Amino acid sequence: MSVAGRTLKVSNLDKVLYPATGTTKGEVLNYYVTHADQILPELRDRPVTRIRFPEGVAANSFFEKNLPPGAPSWLPRVTVPTPGSSRGRDTLTFPLVPDLAALVYLVNLGSLELHVPQWRVDDDGNPLPPDRLVVDLDPGPGAGLEECARVALLVRERLAAVGLETRPVTSGSKGMQLYAPLEGIRTSDEVSAVAKSLAERLEEDHPSLITSRMTKALRPGKIFLDWSQNNAAKTTICPWSLRGRERPQVALPRTWDEVEAAAEGEEPLTQRTIDEV
């Protein structure tokens, strides 16, 4: 197929990747192509980590950070430091996704999930300071998106007080993320410290609803505010990316009207599939 001026081979379009819904690889590719205008700005200039499901979500999957073997020479890439790598590597070479051809190439390899850091690289491939803060809302057992919505409003209020505007994204898995754009002048460690302080203060004020600690025994019925996703080595699911769950759910940007309605029990907030999107 012709994509963004390049000729790409796509394969196994009838392969079912989501058995529960019968969703095929061709339908997955169609989703990414028809929503490229939404996802490409989210991916641009960010090293992309993929979770690949070559045989579908019911089979084995694997994380892939480095450039795929056999990647074409035209696929953009960037080599960045990886301090503290569990594999002892000082650097890794990641793909970049600036256009539709790069997106289709990676999705054709079974890359259902696309994860990115909170920072971008400059024109020379050097990592820049983070351009956004993220607060990950992870519901513990007995909690769900209604509780996430209530906590999201509390986070929005606290960040608005310091001049930060947030946008909510349902994760396509269990919870939500809240993103706030930054000027790009603070380090990842500084942003992480701010997010940690925010989580700890909200836990103090709302101990029956919020925890800032990952300890599993503290999480039933509460929302874990995961501030650690601001670490330079961490990534979050890219907004508009699919998830490798039972159903083809999407990490979907939402309106604050939707979140407010859910928090007040007026209209449930649910994870949305590609058909619903």
Side-chain angles (χ1 to χ4, degrees):
M1 58 189 297
S2 178
V3 183
R6 301 193 182 277
T7 300
L8 301 182
K9 286 185 177 180
V10 294
S11 58
N12 302 315
L13 298 184
D14 293 330
K15 179 183 288 185
V16 174
L17 297 184
Y18 293 87
T21 57
T23 305
T24 65
K25 184 179 178 183
E27 291 171 311
V28 166
L29 278 165
N30 182 66
Y31 166 78
Y32 275 110
V33 168
T34 55
H35 292 80
D37 286 348
Q38 285 77 33
I39 195 170
L40 286 176
E42 306 280 358
L43 293 168
R44 188 162 292 121
D45 297 328
R46 299 189 195 273
V48 180
T49 296
R50 294 84 61 212
I51 304 183
R52 290 175 57 179
F53 297 80
E55 300 302 324
V57 299
N60 292 334
S61 64
F62 60 95
F63 271 88
E64 187 174 58
K65 293 178 176 289
N66 51 299
L67 199 70
S73 59
W74 54 261
L75 184 69
R77 63 209 60 191
V78 63
T79 299
V80 297
T82 53
S85 168
S86 60
R87 297 180 181 271
R89 296 176 178 174
D90 294 327
T91 62
L92 272 178
T93 300
F94 291 80
L96 297 173
V97 182
D99 58 25
L100 185 58
L103 179 62
V104 169
Y105 173 78
L106 292 177
V107 174
N108 185 58
L109 296 179
S111 306
L112 296 182
E113 295 196 11
L114 307 174
H115 294 245
V116 291
Q118 314 316 319
W119 46 270
R120 301 179 190 263
V121 295
D122 63 18
D123 291 341
D124 295 321
N126 300 309
L128 295 167
D131 63 347
R132 66 187 187 189
L133 176 150
V134 63
V135 179
D136 187 34
L137 310 183
D138 188 0
L145 283 178
E146 180 177 337
E147 288 78 12
C148 283
R150 290 165 55 195
V151 173
L153 296 179
L154 297 172
V155 173
R156 179 181 68 169
E157 180 182 17
R158 292 295 179 95
L159 291 179
V162 295
L164 293 179
E165 182 178 346
T166 50
R167 62 171 180 145
V169 178
T170 47
S171 69
S173 180
K174 295 187 302 180
M176 298 175 63
Q177 286 91 34
L178 301 177
Y179 292 99
L182 300 174
E183 308 95 322
I185 58 176
R186 295 173 178 82
T187 67
S188 294
D189 287 345
E190 290 172 325
V191 175
S192 290
V194 170
K196 182 180 181 182
S197 177
L198 169 69
E200 290 175 340
R201 290 185 180 184
L202 283 171
E203 180 182 25
E204 289 175 6
D205 292 345
H206 305 275
S208 64
L209 181 61
I210 295 171
T211 178
S212 65
R213 292 165 287 176
M214 193 178 292
T215 308
K216 289 185 177 180
L218 300 175
R219 296 180 60 183
K222 298 182 182 180
I223 304 301
F224 168 46
L225 289 191
D226 189 355
W227 49 270
S228 71
Q229 299 301 319
N230 294 282
N231 184 300
K234 295 284 191 74
T235 61
T236 50
I237 188 70
C238 183
W240 298 96
S241 172
L242 272 168
R243 302 304 300 264
R245 308 289 290 182
E246 182 180 11
R247 301 165 69 241
Q249 295 172 173
V250 176
L252 185 64
R254 310 305 286 260
T255 68
W256 279 113
D257 285 346
E258 290 178 290
V259 176
E260 290 166 2
E264 295 168 4
E266 296 175 356
E267 185 70 31
L269 194 63
T270 61
Q271 305 289 353
R272 298 293 191 176
T273 67
I274 57 174
D275 292 334
E276 293 168 319
V277 172

